Amino acid sequence: MLRQGGACGNITLTFGGDTTATIAHNASAATVLAALEALDSIDVGDVLVTGTDLTGSGLTITFTGQYDDTNVSDLTRTNSTTGGAGTATLTKTTDGANRDSIATSLG
């Protein structure tokens, strides 16, 4: 679960050694999806991002596509306090070993 606490400013997400462009504290699921799909390590269709936005209940990122049946490396986040004093949290909710996908909840 990926979720912002307070008016946190911006975050970046890193996967497979690639880091996204800056993502706003209130980014929608579509914005986070686009940021992840812009990474060299993630192709279109490799992730699903569900939820409304980073505030409130947060977003869930599920790895699919080339990562089906793969225990993918962790998705990590970096907080920026620009624009506020809150923090984003990232919690891995399901390990991907022997599964069709792995869900990482951002919250």
Side-chain angles (χ1 to χ4, degrees), residues 3 31 54 64 67 79-80 84 90 100:
R3 184 180 313 134
T31 299
L54 287 175
T64 61
Y67 299 108
N79 291 334
S80 165
L90 176 65
D100 290 335

Side-chain angles (χ1 to χ4, degrees), residues 9 39 41-42 44 49 60 64 69 79 85 99 104:
L39 299 178
S41 53
I42 296 178
V44 172
V49 181
T60 298
T64 61
D69 295 321
N79 291 334
R99 292 185 42 87
T104 298

